[in-house]
Amino acid sequence: MSIHYDSNNKIFHLKSKKSSYIMQVVKEGYLAHLYWGKKVRETRIPNPLRFMDRGFSANPDKRDRAFSLDTLPQEYPSYGNTDFRNPSIHIELPNGASITDLRYHHHEILSGKPDLEDLPATYVEDDSEAETLRLQLKDEETDLYVSLFYTVYQELDVITRAVFVENNGTNELLLSKVASMNVDFRESQYEMINLPGAHVRERDMERLPLRRGKQSVESSRGASSHQQNPFIALVRPETTECTGEAYGFSFVYSGNFEASVEVDQTSQSRVTMGINSFDFSWLLEPGETFQTPEVVMVYSSEGLGEMSRTYHKLYRERLCRGAFRDQERPILINNWEATYFDFNEESILEIADQASKTGIELFVLDDGWFGKRDDDHTSLGDWFVNKWKLPNGLNHLGKKINEKGMQFGLWVEPEMVSVNSELYRKHPDWCLHVPDRRRSESRNQLVLDFSRSDVCEEVLSRITSILESAPIHYVKWDMNRSMTEIGSKSLPAKRQRETAHRYILGLYWVLEKLTTRFPNILFESCSGGGGRFDPGMLYYMPQTWTSDNTDAISRLRIQYGTSLVYPSGSMGSHVSEVPNHQVGRVTPFETRGHVAMDGNLGYELDVTKLSDEELQQISEQVQVYQSIRKTVQFGDLYRLVDPFQCQNYSTIHVNENKSEAVFFYVHVLAEANGPFDKVKLDGLNPDKDYRIIETGEVFGGDELMYMGLNVPYPDHDFKSVMWRLIEQQ
Ligand code: DGJ
């Protein structure tokens, strides 16, 4: 049993393998937060909530001047009723009022985990894996019921949260905010970590002490975005990679989100996460319901590394789905940086031919194969093959590639439409737009209105036809702009601000249908690289193109930041040519290989232009990666050297029984007369001996972890090593 209820004291105790989460119903039914942290056995509560009369904190019950919601740590605070901090829910009634007063109404404990309606979420394969508490709150005045769902994954050591709202009253209610979770920490000695970035510079790590007031991150771009990721963590000032407390919050959603931490007047910290309330509203007619997306909460008392490994395992095993979830992923070559739009059947087959000789397993035909697409001004939406470039069609090309011993994959960007396209000429209203306003283009394209079911159905049918037309084993699903003029012709005025969320629901609907229809296609999501690297997309597509920046050195930070939440196997990572197309840097082929092998290896360069020596290096990298990919893609990741702290970078991946490991180290800049560096490994079994395949040396796991392993002296810039460790019997 993971969920315990003490009915005398009205205390809920949620216990996972190593953590406890405790709540209590206090006073006239307010749901208070008591504790979240290291596991405790009982709930005798040595630190009960304390109350006192505080000036300017009003009292719901005038007989009790010590009690105010303004200072009460809560689980799902509402607005207008003595709490002046950030509310989780905000509604508008027909009379213009916007107050709610949510009190405990009912609860039930369910085995397993219920699915979320029409939304991606973590799941169980067997009900014994998790237990769910449904805690129903009620606003008497409006007959609004708010169910808080807490699922406890016992072994995986995770709590998920989601909220289900029901309008059981007789009035229309306009939801202008409905968060997926809130937790009020009873202190504020924390730092907040988030993952800001930009296109080609995704997921930097930022760590700042909390200050009083509200600090928040959000996206209002219609996607989870390059600029912020739907993730924050609170850590103690002393928390490191391997020690100290860390609390992670990861939002399983691909659209606009907000995550905030508000430090209040009594030094408590309110963490709230959900769909971005800016420019959002949702009309709930009597009898209607609303389901929020899920937040995955992870507590670690052993630093950020443990927090990340918990996310990685959960996302690998109980978020990703389908045939590829547990399968080693193919090593691919993509023609984008090799050719951009300038290719034809002959040049593609030449690249494929050369690639196949190196052992690369899958060829991906990127943008430019359809309509009249010779550049980015045209043809999105016209999903039929470009006969000038590919006169024999996709089926023929796919078969030719198969004959070379490689699988065939295809790029698509189904959510978009070019103004210069047959689709747009036929259906100018099918894009997101607001009547009488300009339709702002970005990369010369508009966004199709996926809030409309007719648009979703048509796109699904066109993409289905393409995927049925050729032997396609892989799809790269791209999305290359942020949303502007977000409005839908299909919705009435009072529902216009539902468009962005309805879009995401439409997208999920299409992805569900498509991935079900093609269970043997490996899908990789992409949004100009990592503009939608989020758990929502991972539910449908087990890997994501991490960044359009393929420079090995830029990738160190991008992959390190990404790894805070997302598993290595989900990170598409390619070797590309030098000078690098994004930053002009020249790095050794070996280093590019090592950095790409630290994720999901692929190639993205014109192999017909490479020297024999470079082709030989690809063959070797492919063979090595085939021997390590199981450990990299499905093992435990330990981050050893942080490129945000010192430029250099190191990680080790360890398989489940700690018999094999793969160590990566990159020294960025050579230094005259510099120090001799060593790296302390992690995650090994201290009682086992390991042989380093590349050097033949044997060391104890204890020696490698406690004393450290010498790494090569950096006699040139961008020096790297990859060492395979294997248990010595
Ligand atoms: C953006 C992607 O991230 C690139 O890899 C490439 O597929 C281009 N789009 C094609 O337009």
Side-chain angles (χ1 to χ4, degrees), residues 173-191:
L173 298 177
L174 193 70
L175 288 172
S176 51
K177 175 172 186 176
V178 52
S180 294
M181 59 74 57
N182 180 91
V183 55
D184 282 356
F185 290 84
R186 293 168 65 184
E187 53 201 325
S188 64
Q189 294 305 307
Y190 296 108
E191 295 177 348

Side-chain angles (χ1 to χ4, degrees), residues 336 341 366-367 373 411 443 476 478 480 526-529 545 548 604:
W336 178 242
F341 295 103
D366 209 280
D367 195 354
R373 185 115 166 136
W411 176 98
R443 208 194 187 205
K476 178 177 172 190
D478 206 349
N480 280 305
C526 171
S527 171
W545 177 224
D548 272 350
E604 184 152 344

Side-chain angles (χ1 to χ4, degrees), residues 341-360:
F341 295 103
D342 186 15
F343 62 81
N344 55 30
E345 185 182 292
E346 202 185 339
S347 60
I348 289 298
L349 286 176
E350 276 170 20
I351 295 175
D353 194 48
Q354 192 67 279
S356 69
K357 292 181 190 148
T358 66
I360 292 176

Side-chain angles (χ1 to χ4, degrees), residues 21 74-77 86 88 161 181-184 270-272:
Y21 190 99
Q74 291 167 73
E75 283 297 304
Y76 204 72
N86 192 26
S88 288
R161 305 264 309 256
M181 59 74 57
N182 180 91
V183 55
D184 282 356
R270 168 165 292 179
V271 177
T272 317

Side-chain angles (χ1 to χ4, degrees), residues 76 88-89 115-121 146-149 161-165 175 177-181 251-253 273-275 280 289-295 501 505 508:
Y76 204 72
S88 288
I89 187 161
D115 291 339
L116 298 197
E117 254 175 44
D118 306 326
L119 282 167
V146 176
S147 292
L148 312 183
F149 283 82
R161 305 264 309 256
V163 171
F164 187 71
V165 178
L175 288 172
K177 175 172 186 176
V178 52
S180 294
M181 59 74 57
F251 194 32
V252 187
Y253 189 61
M273 195 175 227
I275 292 175
F280 164 85
T289 61
F290 184 83
Q291 170 70 66
T292 74
E294 168 169 291
V295 171
H501 181 53
L505 294 177
Y508 289 154

Side-chain angles (χ1 to χ4, degrees), residues 501-518:
H501 181 53
R502 286 186 183 274
Y503 178 102
I504 297 295
L505 294 177
L507 170 66
Y508 289 154
W509 181 86
V510 171
L511 298 182
E512 183 66 35
K513 293 275 178 210
L514 205 63
T515 50
T516 308
R517 167 71 188 79
F518 297 101

Side-chain angles (χ1 to χ4, degrees), residues 243-386:
T243 60
E245 292 192 298
Y247 297 85
F249 303 87
S250 167
F251 194 32
V252 187
Y253 189 61
S254 310
N256 296 337
F257 73 92
E258 62 186 343
S260 68
V261 187
E262 181 178 9
V263 177
D264 71 16
Q265 56 178 337
T266 64
S267 296
Q268 305 184 102
S269 311
R270 168 165 292 179
V271 177
T272 317
M273 195 175 227
I275 292 175
N276 196 344
S277 54
F278 173 73
D279 205 28
F280 164 85
S281 67
W282 195 276
L283 188 67
L284 272 191
E285 307 271 8
E288 286 187 343
T289 61
F290 184 83
Q291 170 70 66
T292 74
E294 168 169 291
V295 171
V296 176
M297 307 198 310
V298 170
Y299 168 76
S300 155
S301 61
E302 291 159 62
L304 283 167
E306 183 71 15
M307 178 199 77
S308 298
R309 284 185 290 280
T310 303
Y311 275 117
H312 296 170
K313 192 165 170 59
L314 180 80
Y315 285 176
R316 264 193 328 253
E317 297 178 3
R318 292 294 180 268
L319 176 70
C320 293
R321 301 174 301 164
F324 293 91
R325 186 186 78 177
D326 305 323
Q327 259 182 48
E328 292 177 32
R329 308 290 163 70
I331 301 168
L332 61 83
I333 182 159
N334 177 306
N335 72 305
W336 178 242
E337 286 198 15
T339 64
Y340 294 104
F341 295 103
D342 186 15
F343 62 81
N344 55 30
E345 185 182 292
E346 202 185 339
S347 60
I348 289 298
L349 286 176
E350 276 170 20
I351 295 175
D353 194 48
Q354 192 67 279
S356 69
K357 292 181 190 148
T358 66
I360 292 176
E361 298 158 333
L362 188 148
F363 181 91
V364 182
L365 181 62
D366 209 280
D367 195 354
W369 59 266
F370 54 93
K372 296 181 181 146
R373 185 115 166 136
D374 289 328
D375 56 37
D376 62 18
H377 285 79
T378 169
S379 300
L380 290 170
D382 296 346
W383 299 110
F384 46 84
V385 74
N386 179 324

